[in-house]
Amino acid sequence: MNKQTIAIDNPTVRPDAYGSLAVPIYTNVSFEFDDAARMADAFTGRIKAPDYARVENPTVTNFENRVRQLTGAAHVTAFNSGMSAISNVLFAVAAQGRNIVTSRHLFGNTLSLITVTLRQFGVEARLCDLTDLKAVDEATDDGSCCIYLETVTNPQQEVADLEALSRIALRRNIPLIADSTVIPFIETSLKDLGVDIEVLSSTKYLSGGGTSLGGLVIDYGTFPDINRRIKGDLLFNIGAYMNPYSAYQQTLGLETLDVRYQRQASNALYIAERLRNISTISKVTYIGLKDNPFYDLARRQFGPTSGAMVIIDLESKEACFNFINRLQLVHRATNLFDNRTLAIHPASTIFGNFTTEQLEQMDVRDTTIRLSIGLEDPDDILDDIRQALNESR
Ligand SMILES: *Cc1c(COP(=O)(O)O)cnc(C)c1O
């Protein structure tokens, strides 16, 4: 069956007592048992039945099952934010004395999680250029616990060769963990590219318009201990499981993900191509543009669509602020892949607490604007961008 059909009609959805067609929202905490033996079996994992909502909830399980069917994963666990999905998966693989091989081109909080938070527990960050396979090979050793990357980095839009990295990971018998937030799994299969664990912020595309926070760990089953740790310890001890209302909203988001994504990605390409003809924009970065250095690799890995994040560079930070202040349709807000088009100046906001030197190492420039292209008519978005740049329409 085609993914879009699976997203709508999922055979793993069991009918509820009243035959509700949409997934019911269970907001309760406890689940009652008929007898003590069954209760003991549920609490010790001998049978699969919800007992306490910090670790299992039928609305969330339904959402996880749907994602599992769509991705072909062995296990899916939903968390209450992208960051909690990422931190839990790293807690599951890392330990004192081990190292994480990754790059400086990471979502700001992920970089800080790895270089600050995990460092306090004796985990070393090995930051290298993940597009340089020799450097990755040299950074990896017997102490490495994973190679971690983002499939398309933000705002640099760098794309690493997943199959090549997976061969290095395989040689060391460590998982390749990829954050796929920027290109949704509906269009591509990271499993086929050798990724062992996929993590993503479902706050973005999946939530269906910035409705709720969430994160997913999509586990392809190659390292069974990771799921054991997540489901056996971390869900209990850290308590960051997704809440049922968010699971409900994101289940609805999942059903329309493909149509929304197709439209947002085609809007983004249409707009990126036209922004190149505007003289006050010094650079347009979008992996869907044929002269982008990652165009061929991105197509091979992610198929014909290239996401909805478009990066533009203007003359100066002041020009960026003026542009943002003059926008009338495009919203001044953070988030990616809302239904609306959003603009942000990453260097002063998301990365605002990093030093100038750190920003330079991360390739985050203060001349950069990040646009997340929405579902509006693309010509209306372009008109607003042009007027905010003081260009004639
Ligand atoms: C937003 C984002 C995150 C964090 O997700 P939250 O849901 O905000 O916690 C992680 N990685 C990437 C690439 C993101 O864009």
Side-chain angles (χ1 to χ4, degrees):
M1 230 192 292
N2 184 284
K3 280 188 177 180
Q4 178 54 27
T5 312
I6 298 173
I8 295 286
D9 260 311
N10 191 305
T12 63
V13 178
R14 277 193 294 157
D16 88 319
Y18 300 97
S20 169
L21 192 54
V23 60
I25 310 171
Y26 291 89
T27 62
N28 57 301
V29 172
S30 315
F31 298 85
E32 194 176 13
F33 293 89
D34 290 340
D35 58 67
R38 210 178 139 70
M39 197 169 179
D41 285 347
F43 273 76
T44 52
R46 283 192 292 271
I47 59 164
K48 201 162 160 35
D51 47 54
Y52 189 67
R54 177 168 13 94
V55 290
E56 193 173 346
N57 172 288
T59 312
V60 183
T61 304
N62 177 270
F63 177 54
E64 292 168 334
N65 283 341
R66 285 174 163 230
V67 173
R68 192 164 51 76
Q69 283 234 323
L70 272 170
T71 54
H75 316 281
V76 172
T77 313
F79 289 91
N80 61 20
S81 69
M83 281 319 301
S84 59
I86 294 165
S87 54
N88 275 270
V89 87
L90 291 178
F91 291 153
V93 296
Q96 186 178 20
R98 306 291 302 270
N99 65 74
I100 295 172
V101 176
T102 185
S103 140
R104 276 197 182 81
H105 295 171
L106 287 180
F107 182 69
N109 298 124
T110 306
L111 184 66
S112 161
L113 169 71
I114 293 175
T115 58
V116 181
T117 313
L118 285 171
R119 209 176 124 189
Q120 293 171 341
F121 297 93
V123 179
E124 184 197 344
R126 299 240 171 118
L127 305 175
C128 62
D129 176 357
L130 294 174
T131 65
D132 177 350
L133 297 172
K134 196 158 163 281
V136 180
D137 204 27
E138 281 167 12
T140 318
D141 62 20
D142 290 343
S144 304
C145 64
C146 68
I147 299 176
Y148 184 94
L149 83 165
E150 292 170 11
T151 52
V152 180
T153 72
N154 157 19
Q156 308 85 4
Q157 297 223 13
E158 174 187 283
V159 179
D161 185 334
L162 294 170
E163 282 174 302
L165 290 176
S166 90
R167 283 193 291 274
I168 297 176
L170 193 66
R171 236 183 296 133
R172 296 277 179 194
N173 194 27
I174 54 172
L176 175 63
I177 305 177
D179 177 335
S180 66
T181 302
V182 171
I183 305 278
F185 51 68
I186 199 107
E187 281 303 307
T188 173
S189 170
L190 294 194
K191 181 188 180 184
D192 295 345
L193 296 168
V195 170
D196 299 291
I197 305 269
E198 186 171 344
V199 287
L200 62 95
S201 166
S202 54
T203 311
K204 312 291 165 56
Y205 281 120
L206 259 161
S207 77
T211 63
S212 47
L213 283 167
L216 290 167
V217 173
I218 301 172
D219 178 341
Y220 293 111
T222 32
F223 289 84
D225 266 0
I226 296 176
N227 184 57
R228 276 183 220 129
R229 287 200 194 110
I230 288 177
K231 292 253 159 71
D233 292 337
L234 295 169
L235 273 183
F236 291 85
N237 300 349
I238 306 232
Y241 194 45
M242 180 176 274
N243 82 68
Y245 195 67
S246 300
Y248 170 74
Q249 288 176 310
Q250 299 196 5
T251 301
L252 298 184
L254 190 67
E255 293 183 356
T256 59
L257 174 63
D258 195 36
V259 259
R260 285 184 292 108
Y261 175 69
Q262 292 295 340
R263 173 66 187 262
Q264 282 179 274
S266 74
N267 276 1
L269 179 61
Y270 181 91
I271 289 166
E273 279 170 344
R274 282 154 187 81
L275 291 180
R276 291 210 291 194
N277 300 327
I278 297 179
S279 59
T280 45
I281 297 178
S282 52
K283 190 173 171 201
V284 179
T285 312
Y286 181 61
I287 52 168
L289 293 174
K290 286 202 177 70
D291 56 3
N292 183 285
F294 299 110
Y295 176 82
D296 289 329
L297 179 61
R299 273 185 107 76
R300 201 168 78 224
Q301 298 192 148
F302 314 129
T305 47
S306 308
M309 178 173 71
V310 176
I311 307 296
I312 57 174
D313 275 82
L314 305 182
E315 189 192 1
S316 62
K317 178 179 173 183
E318 195 194 355
C320 290
F321 273 41
N322 287 339
F323 167 75
I324 287 182
N325 290 341
R326 278 195 293 258
L327 289 168
Q328 289 170 3
L329 175 71
V330 175
H331 298 267
R332 289 172 282 273
T334 189
N335 197 6
L336 284 170
F337 321 127
D338 197 300
N339 294 338
R340 296 150 197 82
T341 298
L342 312 179
I344 192 163
H345 179 253
S348 66
T349 55
I350 307 168
F351 297 97
N353 290 322
F354 287 90
T355 63
T356 314
E357 195 193 349
Q358 284 172 321
L359 290 181
E360 224 163 81
Q361 288 175 336
M362 293 161 78
D363 291 327
V364 176
R365 294 180 295 270
D366 70 359
T367 52
T368 296
I369 302 266
R370 183 183 83 189
L371 298 168
S372 170
I373 304 298
L375 292 168
E376 303 94 335
D377 183 282
D379 283 316
D380 288 335
I381 303 168
L382 268 173
D383 278 352
D384 191 39
I385 293 173
R386 286 200 187 103
Q387 70 76 25
L389 290 167
N390 279 333
E391 296 280 333
S392 53
R393 299 191 185 188

